[in-house]
Amino acid sequence: MAGFWGRRKREEQAALDAQDADIARQAQKSLVSADERIRLTTDELAFAEAELGYEPTGELRAALESVRTHMAEAFHLHQLNHDEIPDTPEELRTRNARIVQLCEWAEDLLDDRTQALAEPIARARRAPEIIAGVRADVVRLRTRIPTARETVERLAARYSADALKQVDENPSQAEQLLSFAEHSAAVSERRREAGQREQANLALEASTEAARRAATLLDAVETFEVEALRAESTLSAIVEDSRDDLVVARTAPQVPKVLAAMAELEAALKALPAAGVNTDPFTQLTRLREANGGLDAAIAVARERLARPIPPVEHVRHAIDDADRQLAVTRDVIAGHRGWIGADARTRLAEAERIRVDLDRYLGTSASAALAIDEDHREEALAMARRVAFLANEGLQLAQRDIDASRPQDPRGPDQGWGGRRGGMGDGMGGILGGLVIGSLLGDMFDG
């Protein structure tokens, strides 16, 4: 048996030694790899600064400084592993693990920062190609401006000024943006020739963005015409649907909210302009949709309430009064016997008080003083009040349990205990004083 355990111990030690050797080799490889990555990134930073300028490469520069600082720690740990002071296997293992961690972090950080610059660098190197593309876009888009102006004029004969205000200035704005794009492209070329790479790249970005926005504005003119026709078609369908909904609404419960929703929908229908009048189909469609949806919602609520009657306001007020009464009783019992009351009873009381505060907040006033409670709030208020009463009552029962468990029980009988002749105190007085923090001392005080 001793041989078995000895062999097993040697095998475990051999496995641990192999693991330590492996992490030591990994630490050395990581140091070499990270150091080479720093040198490579330093060269990449110089190239990036030449293409982009100083400021856009700030994050990569800061990352290199941080990595160099932490790699100094990694090299120092490796030096400690090879100095003249003997180290325990645990110390070597800890240092090598830290070296690997620092090197992996360094390479990950540098990879992330250099990758972020890859696209801007590629873009800067393609600057002449991009500028040529911008100028071609400017020429092409300028040919669309007259057509866009004609479209706006044609739309003005059919749609109101309010409807057209989202696109009527688009042709003029597009023309201005195209002029700005040309100017920015020329600035980018001059700055690049002067070696001002950062300014050249900023001007290039401004040029491409201006051309893109001009195209978007011209597209919006064409899109508006299509969307306006679609809105008119949808509006006709919703008008018919709304008239049908008004017929159905007359068979629904005629409660105030249903009547108000019907009036809103009727007003939206009456506000529609006559045929041949310049219109704003988008605004009309939005108003009609909202009124139609409001009527549907009001009818649904009314029918649901018809199937599930709303609690009378008197029931809700009675439930709130009962909850307040139950809270008051529980508070008094716990306050009068604080030394005996445990966490469960106190927790139930605290939760009941929290919900009671939420109830006042939900109703927007002091519920007990409210003259009326809105129908929309009665059901929820009733449930909250009942929950308060339930928790308060549960807290009272738990408090009574704690009091009964803590009240002194003298085996000598009723004539010898606290309630007997010796103590001179009735059970009521003992219960009251027992709730005090000094209740445990009363026996000694009345002995003798």
Side-chain angles (χ1 to χ4, degrees):
M1 181 63 70
F4 170 77
W5 288 112
R7 184 171 66 254
R8 182 171 182 179
K9 186 174 182 180
R10 288 193 299 274
E11 291 174 350
E12 291 176 349
Q13 185 60 46
L16 187 59
D17 291 343
Q19 180 181 355
D20 288 344
D22 182 64
I23 195 171
R25 286 192 297 271
Q26 186 179 357
Q28 293 183 22
K29 290 176 59 178
S30 297
L31 273 174
V32 173
S33 177
D35 190 53
E36 285 299 317
R37 187 70 180 85
I38 291 174
R39 297 175 189 276
L40 177 62
T41 304
T42 302
D43 294 338
E44 291 176 343
L45 175 60
F47 295 142
E49 288 178 349
E51 293 291 344
L52 304 176
Y54 188 80
E55 185 175 347
T57 56
E59 290 189 0
L60 179 57
R61 191 178 306 104
L64 264 175
E65 293 175 0
S66 179
V67 164
R68 288 191 181 105
T69 299
H70 286 82
M71 285 303 297
E73 177 189 349
F75 280 112
H76 178 65
L77 292 173
H78 188 63
Q79 178 62 37
L80 291 177
N81 288 345
H82 297 84
D83 61 14
E84 67 279 2
I85 302 174
D87 298 307
T88 65
E90 289 78 10
E91 289 174 333
L92 290 171
R93 190 179 306 124
T94 300
R95 287 178 194 150
N96 286 327
R98 176 62 175 166
I99 290 171
V100 172
Q101 179 189 33
L102 287 170
C103 292
E104 290 179 347
W105 167 82
E107 294 208 53
D108 288 344
L109 179 61
L110 294 180
D111 286 344
D112 180 71
R113 295 296 185 268
T114 53
Q115 185 62 35
L117 291 177
E119 176 60 26
I121 290 173
R123 187 175 179 81
R125 289 173 177 171
R126 293 190 302 109
E129 175 187 345
I130 294 173
I131 289 174
V134 168
R135 285 177 171 149
D137 288 341
V138 169
V139 172
R140 177 178 54 83
L141 292 171
R142 277 206 172 110
T143 63
R144 295 177 55 188
I145 292 177
T147 303
R149 286 199 170 102
E150 292 174 1
T151 301
V152 171
E153 291 174 2
R154 185 176 66 254
L155 293 173
R158 183 176 182 86
Y159 303 108
S160 67
D162 287 339
L164 277 176
K165 65 183 178 182
Q166 53 183 302
V167 296
D168 59 353
E169 295 295 329
N170 284 20
S172 299
Q173 292 176 2
E175 189 170 24
Q176 294 173 5
L177 285 168
L178 293 176
S179 296
F180 179 77
E182 279 187 318
H183 174 73
S184 298
V187 170
S188 179
E189 284 182 324
R190 291 196 297 270
R191 292 292 184 269
R192 187 167 297 278
E193 291 171 359
Q196 300 171 336
R197 296 302 180 93
E198 186 173 339
Q199 296 179 11
N201 291 326
L202 289 175
L204 180 62
E205 292 293 333
S207 177
T208 55
E209 176 63 14
R212 186 196 64 78
R213 288 180 56 193
T216 301
L217 290 174
L218 295 175
D219 290 342
V221 174
E222 298 175 2
T223 302
F224 177 89
E225 186 170 23
V226 174
E227 292 300 324
L229 291 172
R230 185 177 299 168
E232 287 185 277
S233 175
T234 305
L235 183 63
S236 299
I238 291 186
V239 166
E240 295 301 321
D241 184 55
S242 297
R243 288 171 178 160
D244 292 341
D245 286 347
L246 286 171
V247 174
V248 173
R250 294 186 179 92
T251 65
Q254 300 297 289
V255 297
K257 290 197 173 182
V258 171
L259 295 175
M262 290 175 64
E264 176 63 24
L265 183 55
E266 289 171 346
L269 288 170
K270 290 179 181 178
L272 293 175
V277 177
N278 289 5
T279 63
D280 183 353
F282 302 104
T283 300
Q284 294 158 5
L285 184 58
T286 298
R287 182 182 178 187
L288 205 56
R289 274 177 174 162
E290 290 176 351
N292 193 291
L295 179 59
D296 290 342
I299 291 174
V301 171
R303 286 175 174 166
E304 181 184 358
R305 286 180 174 175
L306 186 64
R308 181 166 50 90
I310 302 171
V313 66
E314 293 80 8
H315 290 188
V316 181
R317 289 181 53 75
H318 291 161
I320 294 173
D321 291 342
D322 178 60
D324 289 341
R325 179 190 59 79
Q326 190 67 56
L327 269 176
V329 171
T330 306
R331 285 194 196 103
D332 290 345
V333 171
I334 291 178
H337 303 80
R338 292 194 304 270
W340 291 351
I341 305 302
D344 290 344
R346 296 170 187 265
T347 299
R348 299 302 189 282
L349 175 61
E351 181 65 8
E353 289 176 330
R354 182 189 68 79
I355 297 176
R356 183 62 183 83
V357 171
D358 288 345
L359 176 57
D360 277 348
R361 189 179 297 115
Y362 175 71
L363 295 176
T365 181
S366 174
S368 59
L371 298 178
I373 299 174
D374 186 83
E375 290 183 354
D376 293 338
H377 297 89
R378 290 181 193 174
E379 192 169 0
E380 181 67 17
L382 181 63
M384 294 174 74
R386 287 174 175 172
R387 181 63 177 165
V388 170
F390 173 81
L391 288 169
N393 182 64
E394 193 174 29
L396 178 62
Q397 294 178 12
L398 291 170
Q400 189 61 52
R401 181 199 66 184
D402 294 340
I403 293 170
D404 293 341
S406 302
R407 186 174 284 133
Q409 302 292 331
D410 197 317
R412 293 174 292 177
D415 293 338
Q416 301 299 323
W418 285 27
R421 291 186 298 271
R422 184 182 180 197
M425 297 174 61
D427 286 343
M429 182 60 71
I432 293 173
L433 293 178
L436 301 176
V437 176
I438 62 172
S440 60
L441 305 177
L442 292 178
D444 292 338
M445 290 171 60
F446 288 97
D447 278 343

